[in-house]
Amino acid sequence: MSVSSPLPVATLGTPRIGPRRELKIALESYWSGKSSESALLEAAAGLRAANWARQKSLGVTVIPSNDFTLYDHVLDTSVMVGAIPEVYGWKSGPVPLVTYFAMARGAQGGNDDAACAHGHQGDGHAHGAPAQEMTKWFDTNYHYMVPEFSKGQRFALSSLKAVDEYREAKALGYQTRPVLLGPVTYLKLGKSKDANLDPLSLLPDLLPVYIDVLKRLAAEGAEWVQLDEPCLVLDLDDATRRAMRATYEQLADALPKLKIMLTTYFGGLGDNLDAALSLPVTGLHIDLARVPDQLESVAAKAPHDLVLSLGVIDGRNIWRANLPALLDRLEPIVSERGADRVQVAPSCSLLHVPIDVSLENDLDAELKSWLSFSVQKMGELATLGEALAKGRASVADALKTSADAAAARKTSPKVNDATVAARIRAVTADMARRKSIFSDRAKVQRERFGLPSFPTTTVGSFPQTPEVRKARSAHAKGTLSDADYEKFLQEETARTIRWQEDIGLDVLVHGEFERNDMVQYFGEQLSGFAFTKHGWVQSYGSRCVRPPILFGDVSRPRPMTVGWWKYAQSLTVKPMKGMLTGPVTILNWSFVRDDVPRSLACRQIALAIRDEVADLEAAGASMIQIDEAALREGLPLRRSEWKAYLDWAVECFRLCASGVDDATQIHTHMCYSEFNDIIDAIAAMDADVISIETSRSKMELLDAFKTYKYPNEIGPGVYDIHSPRVPAVDEMASLLKLARQRLSDRQIWINPDCGLKTRKWEEVRPALVNMVEAARLMR
């Protein structure tokens, strides 16, 4: 088929970090005081210009602006509307960059961070202020800064970033569609210390700010604006639906000529479909990668004049699309509605995928042919747009290449392993049960370890210093021999163990200097995984990760951590934890194959980790930590789907952890999660000790454990490792006193919020010394 007019090809947002992580480099140079604010802003402008140029060159016709951020788009929204807590010292007017970064990272107060590196004093920056709370963006591995609202909250336009970047693009010759986080989703993502404050009650004060911004954009020449309301894929109550209706009616009344593309993603509209279709907007975007079946129901109910943006290219995963199969579904919709009422787009912002697979020169050629990163996905969209406008013959070669890649991947022997399949079939229910209940295990373990009350430990990693990264890089390049690299790592490990003993930590870790990443390290030693060199994606701010690519059946060819654990334990008489990453986290922090259920892939990983646990115990490990930091983030967005996910996720953790004796203590770690809703599942994991992030929430996350009467032991984090701040002893002691209001003394361990890999030793040393002193005071 073909149509007479071009069919719009849109992106909802693109990666911000740059092909070589230029944003990370610029940010960290600024934070360290090595470069100026103007240099940072110049680097950011260069990245934006390159993003716009790249999209246009690849055939994208609806190009976004304001999808770029120096740290986080939700934080940008808080700054835009003036939702800045008093602790940061801002009163009014434009928000200084130093205040922005204080909200993102915290501020030490007088001698730390960009504030002092650049001499900012008294310009709205609160020295010593903690960072805002951070949590996962829906069910992704991206983190956003949680908006904070207070009783009597007022909003005021405090940043013209959206207008400035639209104007910036226009000056370069790009007519863009500015992107804003929708007001209803923004409020629903926020929180308040006042339990009686409903964030949606703030809409009347918030909407005038949005209207002001939108009017300014319209005055500059913007014809369309993209308003992201992903909350529409959640379980919503009638009050939220009414708030959504009132919001968009008010926007339509104030800006009758501005076209709004209402954008939803990460799921289907489901029972919110009628509410979404009733809104006075010009366009509606739907995610057809996550929920392809919603296309028919949306198309059947949508008014004929509503522009449908069809998110057919997966913005969350890296697999090449089967374009002919997509065209089979798209052609009838375009034929029925017309090219002027349909846009093709990725399912969500391309923020969540790497930039360009063509940079990967070391990947297996066959595997590489199955992959599609941001650049390739834009090419796929352009191919679809041309096929729908001019007919399939106009892009016949591209369509054949796409179909051939899909067929090859389906039949490749690299994907399927009969031995792994047989082992999965042999799994029994008993393999996922500990030998005794926790109360009996706890008695045996207390006798074995003889630890003091409030035992102290860390979550695993210690600083990956420039020296560590330099040695790893030299080893990877072949300029540092295997023997010399191992010697270097042994020295770093030994030094770290001696220091932990010196300050009085009760349970030690070896520091993980040999590990590049808590998932990648294991994936590199498991079959079925592949790795990129340039496949970086943003986790938050300057923090970037390279997710493994899980392309086939998983098994463990050989032990992965036993040698390093044995070396570390030989250096001390104190307990040395064996450190592993759990199967659910490995799954959720990887790009996962889409040709089998996620539950099956996770069980395969669980069996591989089970083998490692058994080998560690046989080598003498008495404490084994199996981190499941990402268990909650894999939770489906709809409650009706929670039980199925939690059942197999918990089973997979127990499958890898339950083969040990009662005297072997199993730890786990979970971070940045609201635990109330999944406390039953956490209890079902039956870990002997769980460490969790609680410092930013001031121990509020422990309320779920108190209400549940959680019996096992807990290490509530007493300081935020995502900030360079060094909290004082009394600050940690105050948090521990709050923990004691919720837990029994017998349950409490003392540890940081998370691993210390991303921090500097000059931050870590005083912080852990203070933590040990806080434990001493508690005793």
Side-chain angles (χ1 to χ4, degrees):
M1 66 149 287
S2 64
V3 294
S4 58
S5 58
L7 188 133
V9 173
T11 56
L12 310 185
T14 56
R16 308 145 176 174
I17 58 176
R20 308 285 180 177
R21 291 183 294 163
E22 290 88 347
L23 178 60
K24 174 185 177 69
I25 294 167
L27 283 170
E28 294 179 356
S29 176
Y30 171 72
W31 292 335
S32 67
K34 295 177 182 177
S35 62
S36 65
E37 179 174 317
S38 61
L40 172 62
L41 298 180
E42 183 180 349
L47 287 170
R48 289 192 294 272
N51 281 347
W52 293 322
R54 184 181 303 114
Q55 291 173 83
K56 185 173 183 179
S57 70
L58 291 168
V60 176
T61 59
V62 182
I63 298 173
S65 60
N66 198 44
D67 58 322
F68 180 88
T69 176
L70 287 174
Y71 203 92
D72 165 51
H73 61 279
V74 183
L75 176 60
D76 289 354
T77 308
S78 293
V79 169
M80 180 184 79
V81 303
I84 300 173
E86 290 183 6
V87 68
Y88 300 106
W90 176 83
K91 301 300 182 184
S92 63
V95 178
L97 194 59
V98 67
T99 303
Y100 176 90
F101 285 131
M103 295 170 71
R105 308 177 69 235
Q108 179 65 22
N111 62 359
D112 188 283
D113 217 7
C116 297
H118 298 284
H120 298 291
Q121 302 290 336
D123 57 353
H125 178 62
H127 294 294
Q132 287 193 295
E133 184 177 342
M134 181 168 60
T135 194
K136 298 298 177 75
W137 174 247
F138 291 80
D139 58 351
T140 75
N141 191 33
Y142 177 79
H143 301 65
Y144 75 93
M145 309 306 299
V146 179
E148 296 178 20
F149 307 126
S150 59
K151 191 174 181 180
Q153 178 76 49
R154 292 292 179 264
F155 300 101
L157 180 58
S158 305
S159 168
L160 291 175
K161 174 181 177 293
V163 180
D164 292 341
E165 292 185 9
Y166 172 81
R167 188 187 297 119
E168 180 183 324
K170 192 173 183 180
L172 293 172
Y174 306 108
Q175 175 62 22
T176 61
R177 185 172 70 186
V179 180
L180 294 174
L181 179 60
V184 178
T185 295
Y186 172 70
L187 289 176
K188 289 188 73 68
L189 291 174
K191 65 181 297 185
S192 172
K193 295 178 182 177
D194 182 356
N196 297 318
L197 177 63
D198 176 7
L200 286 181
S201 69
L202 302 175
L203 262 176
D205 288 320
L206 177 65
L207 285 179
V209 180
Y210 269 83
I211 289 172
D212 191 351
V213 173
L214 294 174
K215 284 184 174 179
R216 291 170 186 261
L217 286 167
E220 292 291 338
E223 300 174 2
W224 281 86
V225 172
Q226 175 182 319
L227 289 181
D228 289 356
E229 294 284 10
C231 75
L232 279 166
V233 307
L234 305 178
D235 296 313
L236 299 182
D237 56 22
D238 289 339
T240 303
R241 293 190 185 104
R242 287 194 297 270
M244 191 75 71
R245 177 78 187 179
T247 293
Y248 285 87
E249 285 180 346
Q250 190 168 336
L251 294 181
D253 288 344
L255 298 124
K257 295 183 179 179
L258 185 65
K259 299 175 183 178
I260 292 176
M261 176 59 73
L262 182 70
T263 311
T264 68
Y265 40 79
F266 302 151
L269 287 164
D271 56 355
N272 297 321
L273 174 58
D274 290 340
L277 291 177
S278 73
L279 299 177
V281 295
T282 311
L284 174 67
H285 173 83
I286 55 175
D287 184 339
L288 296 176
R290 275 291 183 90
V291 188
D293 293 344
Q294 69 174 325
L295 175 59
E296 284 70 26
S297 59
V298 172
K301 288 189 172 185
H304 190 71
D305 61 349
L306 183 70
V307 176
L308 290 182
S309 173
L310 306 180
V312 293
I313 296 296
D314 194 345
R316 292 276 299 273
N317 214 332
I318 44 71
W319 301 109
R320 191 171 191 162
N322 186 333
L323 298 181
L326 288 179
L327 286 171
D328 290 343
R329 301 199 69 202
L330 292 173
E331 286 169 346
I333 300 297
V334 174
S335 178
E336 177 187 346
R337 300 186 72 85
D340 59 339
R341 291 291 182 267
V342 176
Q343 298 180 6
V344 290
S347 59
C348 60
S349 170
L350 296 174
L351 160 70
H352 307 285
V353 295
I355 293 179
D356 189 358
V357 76
S358 70
L359 299 175
E360 304 300 333
N361 297 321
D362 297 330
L363 273 179
D364 174 84
E366 184 179 20
L367 173 60
K368 185 175 177 180
S369 72
W370 303 339
L371 303 181
S372 176
F373 293 177
S374 174
V375 165
Q376 288 71 40
K377 288 178 184 295
M378 288 188 272
E380 289 178 315
L381 288 167
T383 298
L384 289 174
E386 188 165 351
L388 291 167
K390 300 178 181 178
R392 297 195 189 197
S394 65
V395 286
D397 289 346
L399 296 181
K400 183 178 186 304
T401 300
S402 172
D404 288 348
R409 180 179 166 217
K410 187 175 182 179
T411 58
S412 174
K414 295 175 181 176
V415 172
N416 304 300
D417 185 330
T419 302
V420 174
R423 193 175 183 197
I424 287 289
R425 290 193 297 270
V427 170
T428 65
D430 286 344
M431 292 172 66
R433 297 192 190 103
R434 292 291 294 269
K435 296 174 182 177
S436 303
I437 61 173
F438 170 74
S439 57
D440 291 343
R441 302 195 310 264
K443 292 175 185 176
V444 175
Q445 291 167 13
R446 289 187 190 116
E447 211 171 288
R448 179 178 190 179
F449 300 123
L451 295 172
S453 58
F454 307 109
T456 56
T457 189
T458 65
V459 175
S461 58
F462 272 96
Q464 296 271 323
T465 63
E467 292 77 16
V468 171
R469 292 194 296 270
K470 182 179 178 181
R472 180 180 299 126
S473 176
H475 181 249
K477 294 175 181 176
T479 58
L480 185 65
S481 70
D482 291 349
D484 287 342
Y485 183 51
E486 182 166 355
K487 181 182 178 183
F488 169 83
L489 294 174
Q490 287 178 340
E491 290 171 351
E492 287 290 313
T493 301
R495 187 182 304 115
T496 299
I497 291 171
R498 287 195 300 270
W499 182 78
Q500 291 176 81
E501 289 184 316
D502 289 345
I503 68 168
L505 283 169
D506 300 306
V507 174
L508 311 187
V509 298
H510 77 285
E512 303 179 15
F513 301 109
E514 80 284 4
R515 304 185 188 186
N516 42 22
D517 176 84
M518 66 180 289
V519 171
Q520 182 176 346
Y521 178 77
F522 292 96
E524 286 177 339
Q525 300 180 77
L526 296 169
S527 65
F529 283 87
F531 293 84
T532 65
K533 285 192 173 180
H534 304 286
W536 297 99
V537 294
Q538 185 182 34
S539 180
Y540 59 87
S542 68
R543 171 68 171 155
C544 301
V545 296
R546 282 181 301 173
I549 298 171
L550 200 177
F551 68 88
D553 289 340
V554 178
S555 62
R556 188 199 69 149
R558 64 191 65 84
M560 301 178 287
T561 67
V562 176
W564 277 109
W565 177 85
K566 289 173 71 174
Y567 171 73
Q569 185 65 80
S570 73
L571 301 175
T572 181
V573 296
K574 290 190 172 185
M576 175 66 59
K577 287 193 286 188
M579 302 299 303
L580 305 174
T581 302
V584 184
T585 296
I586 291 176
L587 182 88
N588 285 336
W589 286 358
S590 299
F591 290 122
V592 181
R593 57 191 293 195
D594 57 0
D595 58 332
V596 299
R598 291 174 68 88
S599 57
L600 174 59
C602 197
R603 287 187 182 96
Q604 293 178 359
I605 303 169
L607 288 174
I609 300 299
R610 180 184 179 93
D611 292 342
E612 188 71 12
V613 170
D615 283 348
L616 279 168
E617 185 182 45
S622 58
M623 294 183 182
I624 302 172
Q625 182 171 312
I626 308 170
D627 288 342
E628 285 294 16
L631 185 136
R632 194 190 190 283
E633 77 179 49
L635 203 63
L637 297 177
R638 294 285 186 154
R639 282 182 177 267
S640 61
E641 300 169 11
W642 282 17
K643 185 179 184 302
Y645 165 76
L646 289 171
D647 283 351
W648 64 253
V650 169
E651 178 206 350
C652 287
F653 177 83
R654 294 181 63 131
L655 185 60
C656 71
S658 296
V660 298
D661 290 334
D662 288 351
T664 299
Q665 191 174 72
I666 296 293
H667 292 236
T668 191
H669 171 69
M670 302 175 73
C671 58
Y672 294 98
S673 294
E674 296 290 345
F675 296 117
N676 303 61
D677 294 331
I678 62 166
I679 190 65
D680 289 334
I682 293 173
M685 291 169 69
D686 198 25
D688 298 305
V689 183
I690 179 174
S691 57
I692 57 175
E693 174 276 325
T694 51
S695 68
R696 288 194 183 188
S697 70
K698 303 297 186 288
M699 297 290 165
E700 289 176 5
L701 291 177
L702 289 179
D703 289 341
F705 295 86
K706 177 183 178 181
T707 302
Y708 185 83
K709 296 184 171 65
Y710 183 78
N712 300 26
E713 297 174 17
I714 307 176
V718 295
Y719 85 89
D720 174 22
I721 66 87
H722 294 89
S723 167
R725 290 183 68 244
V726 176
V729 173
D730 58 355
E731 183 179 333
M732 295 190 201
S734 295
L735 287 174
L736 287 168
K737 289 175 183 176
L738 293 174
R740 294 181 80 182
Q741 296 173 11
R742 296 165 169 88
L743 304 171
S744 70
D745 288 359
R746 175 195 60 77
Q747 289 179 284
I748 298 175
W749 286 62
I750 299 178
N751 47 255
D753 270 348
C754 199
L756 299 166
K757 171 184 176 180
T758 60
R759 297 268 54 94
K760 299 175 182 177
W761 273 110
E762 52 264 39
E763 300 156 0
V764 166
R765 289 190 182 98
L768 289 185
V769 167
N770 289 352
M771 188 186 82
V772 172
E773 177 62 14
R776 189 191 66 79
L777 291 176
M778 296 299 291
R779 293 167 186 161

